[in-house]
């Protein structure tokens, strides 16, 4: 893959710094990685018989959602996708989603959460037609993921959609040079993730374990281990009593996504020399001194998330237009 | 209906007490109401060509879940249903649910929550085959409910399943004598509900509005109104700024389900003279003096919930065995 070949040489995690303690991590800009994918997406879009039309359902009276919707619009325009923001009240959100589901002109949609900020948002998430769910958040796609079902058909022509933020993080791990050459790209890697939400942390832990990693997943209800199964094509989840200090000390890759100021940020002294550190939260989850110990630091994921959502929309289009 | 005819005379909400302030509300025992339904269920079960087999998936290390599972077992045995408790760890819960889904010998299942106590429980809830979901909690059934789709087929032979706790509450409202004689049994009634969870409060508000009531629904994110739509066969949800005091003062029926000690319990002084007060939380949500003002007080709903789940299992059986 283009991104991998281009980015690996300058970010070798096995590189030993001249004097420990003075290392300054490379900061990996997700916008730069996203650009390599956007080039591919532009080329693929240009080959389609019609322009892709995506809809953003903006039903929240919530500043970050406006910002994110506007950001999506720009990213779509950048690659040649038509993007329409549809404004709704929170009470009209379900109807707006249903209208986009039924609108044959619309190829995919993104919904900006939180809308209610309660479990009702999960209900809304599952109101999106999976065939238009470019974020890959529907339970239908979650089930494919947890069962490592990568295709929808026996002939393996229709690919399952992966949730866009976990997918973005995996692509950043690859771009940072942390994929190995084996059959499973994260074989033997140890990963520590702070977040086990249904939209990012749990699917990410599962995807990484499918790729061969040994993942310790922390959330408010404690740690769990996600490990490759012995059969090799699935993963297992196990209870564990491992603590934060041990998990961090062992981790080649540390991923944080804790939307809280009360989370004790991860310090340089806690991590392994040369680790890859990725934060997908909008909060600061790493201490500034992380760069004296990490080899690569990814301070945000957002631009890659939107790019992966657009990439998903291409996959969904191809799934429903097999001859196209 | 048997329960209605039998219970209404002694609980007439229109009865004026001799001296206001000294009224002592009738306490409606849900076990007594459940018994009238269980008699009907016993008769229906006896007419089936085979005994019903239900499974309880008990995956929580949580005392109340054990108690509830044991209670379900007794209720099932009481009416002649075979009930098997299947123990699992939280990590095996999904597999236990899948096994019960695929087990042709099993007609229905109940899953005891919380298991993870996070959004992952919603994922588990939707792992139950809707055709075996006797609690009526699957998103498939929620969608039927919100769209007021009462049957699965055009011929109206296969009934949609309603979530068992809201259904239990509606049956208790009926038993308390608060159903009118009109086409919609709650026509003109004002209701105040404290709880808008996806499993009880929101579906209950929706069902009551379908039945003609004007419902104010309070939750941590504020109040919403659920009102009958002008077309008469649906309901509408509207934003409102009504406060607790006003909503309580106007309510003919007050339903509480707040699982927190910090909820300010509803006081006798806050409610309307002669109101029906129902608490489905395991916490005390009404002050002791509520009985000096209410006409009927229902301190708990549990026994009716289990009975409605068993009743749902009969409906599901009939849906899948139309000739049976």
């Amino acid at each position: 893959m283009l991104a991998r070949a281009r980015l690996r040489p300058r970010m070798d995690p096995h590189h030993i710094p001249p004097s420990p303690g003075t290392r300054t991590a490379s900061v990996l800009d997700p916008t730069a990685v996203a650009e390599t994918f956007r080039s591919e997406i532009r080329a693929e879009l240009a080959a389609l018989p019609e322009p892709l039309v995506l809809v953003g359902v903006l039903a929240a009276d919530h500043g970050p959602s406006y910002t994110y919707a506007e950001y999506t619009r720009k990213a779509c325009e950048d690659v040649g996708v038509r993007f329409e923001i549809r404004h709704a009240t929170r009470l009209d959100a379900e109807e707006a989603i249903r209208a986009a589901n039924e609108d044959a002109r619309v190829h995919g949609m993104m919904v900006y959460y939180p809308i209610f900020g309660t479990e009702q948002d999960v209900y809304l998430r599952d109101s999106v037609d999976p065939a238009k769910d470019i974020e890959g958040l529907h339970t239908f796609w979650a089930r494919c993921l947890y069962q490592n079902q990568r295709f929808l058909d026996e002939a393996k022509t229709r690919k399952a959609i992966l949730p866009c933020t976990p997918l973005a993080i995996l692509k950043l791990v690859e771009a940072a040079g942390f994929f190995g050459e084996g059959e499973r790209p994260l074989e033997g890697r140890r990963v520590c993730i702070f977040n086990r939400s249904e939209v990012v942390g749990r699917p990410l832990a599962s995807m990484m374990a499918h790729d061969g990693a040994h993942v310790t997943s922390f959330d408010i209800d404690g740690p769990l281990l996600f490990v490759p199964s012995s059969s090799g094509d699935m993963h297992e989840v196990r209870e564990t009593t491992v603590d934060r200090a041990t998990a961090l000390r062992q981790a080649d890759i540390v991923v944080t996504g804790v939307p809280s100021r009360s989370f004790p940020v991860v310090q340089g002294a806690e991590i392994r020399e040369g680790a890859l550190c990725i934060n997908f939260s909008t909060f600061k989850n790493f201490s500034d001194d992380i760069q004296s110990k990490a080899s690569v630091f990814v301070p945000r994921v957002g631009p890659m998330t939107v790019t992966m959502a657009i990439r998903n929309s291409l996959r969904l289009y191809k799934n429903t237009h097999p001859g196209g």
Side-chain angles (χ1 to χ4, degrees), chain A residues 106-128:
Chain A
V106 173
H107 298 108
M109 83 181 91
M110 185 171 248
V111 182
Y112 299 94
Y113 300 101
I115 291 178
F116 286 91
T118 67
E119 212 177 86
Q120 193 167 343
D121 285 356
V122 182
Y123 179 85
L124 288 177
R125 222 160 63 197
D126 270 2
S127 300
V128 175

Side-chain angles (χ1 to χ4, degrees), chain A residues 101-171:
Chain A
N101 281 341
E102 290 168 5
D103 186 343
R105 212 175 51 78
V106 173
H107 298 108
M109 83 181 91
M110 185 171 248
V111 182
Y112 299 94
Y113 300 101
I115 291 178
F116 286 91
T118 67
E119 212 177 86
Q120 193 167 343
D121 285 356
V122 182
Y123 179 85
L124 288 177
R125 222 160 63 197
D126 270 2
S127 300
V128 175
D129 180 348
K132 297 193 177 184
D133 177 22
I134 67 173
E135 295 178 277
L137 299 180
H138 196 285
T139 307
F140 175 82
W141 298 121
R143 267 182 230 299
C144 290
L145 188 162
Y146 293 125
Q147 291 161 23
N148 203 14
Q149 185 193 325
R150 301 197 174 189
F151 292 90
L152 298 178
D153 55 346
E154 292 274 324
K156 298 191 174 181
T157 61
R158 295 162 58 220
K159 281 191 173 175
I161 294 302
L162 291 167
C164 54
T165 304
L167 180 59
I169 292 168
L170 265 184
K171 295 296 183 187

Side-chain angles (χ1 to χ4, degrees), chain A residues 227-245:
Chain A
V227 292
S229 67
S230 43
S231 66
D233 64 343
M234 278 288 285
H235 73 284
E236 287 169 11
V237 187
R238 297 184 195 148
E239 299 288 352
T240 177
T241 56
V242 72
D243 62 11
R244 163 178 167 139

Side-chain angles (χ1 to χ4, degrees), chain A residues 143-321:
Chain A
R143 267 182 230 299
C144 290
L145 188 162
Y146 293 125
Q147 291 161 23
N148 203 14
Q149 185 193 325
R150 301 197 174 189
F151 292 90
L152 298 178
D153 55 346
E154 292 274 324
K156 298 191 174 181
T157 61
R158 295 162 58 220
K159 281 191 173 175
I161 294 302
L162 291 167
C164 54
T165 304
L167 180 59
I169 292 168
L170 265 184
K171 295 296 183 187
L172 287 164
V173 169
E174 183 179 23
F178 276 68
F179 268 22
E181 299 297 340
E183 198 180 328
R184 293 192 297 186
L186 292 174
E187 193 73 56
R189 292 285 191 194
R190 287 185 169 267
V191 179
C192 181
I193 305 175
F194 292 91
N195 175 300
R196 200 163 56 246
S197 68
E198 290 296 293
V199 294
V200 189
R202 188 159 81 101
L204 177 64
S206 169
M207 288 159 71
M208 288 180 136
H210 285 147
D211 282 347
H214 185 282
V215 182
T216 311
S217 160
F218 287 95
D219 204 359
I220 41 166
D221 63 335
L224 284 177
L225 289 183
F226 289 67
V227 292
S229 67
S230 43
S231 66
D233 64 343
M234 278 288 285
H235 73 284
E236 287 169 11
V237 187
R238 297 184 195 148
E239 299 288 352
T240 177
T241 56
V242 72
D243 62 11
R244 163 178 167 139
T246 308
L248 277 174
R249 199 167 54 235
Q250 295 177 340
D252 303 296
I253 302 167
V254 181
V255 183
T256 58
V258 187
S260 163
R261 277 183 226 287
S262 64
F263 173 69
V265 295
V266 177
Q267 308 283 335
E270 293 182 284
I271 66 163
R272 187 174 180 174
E273 182 79 41
L276 164 62
C277 294
I278 301 176
N279 175 42
F280 69 83
S281 165
T282 51
F283 286 74
K284 184 174 164 150
N285 285 171
F286 286 102
S287 154
D288 287 335
D289 74 355
I290 207 76
Q291 295 190 50
S292 65
K293 196 89 169 283
S295 62
V296 185
F297 177 49
V298 187
R300 65 194 182 109
V301 169
M304 271 296 284
T305 296
V306 170
T307 304
M308 290 303 109
I310 299 173
R311 189 167 176 267
N312 277 343
S313 69
L314 257 172
R315 288 199 170 181
L316 287 169
Y317 184 88
K318 288 178 183 170
N319 281 351
T320 48
H321 301 75

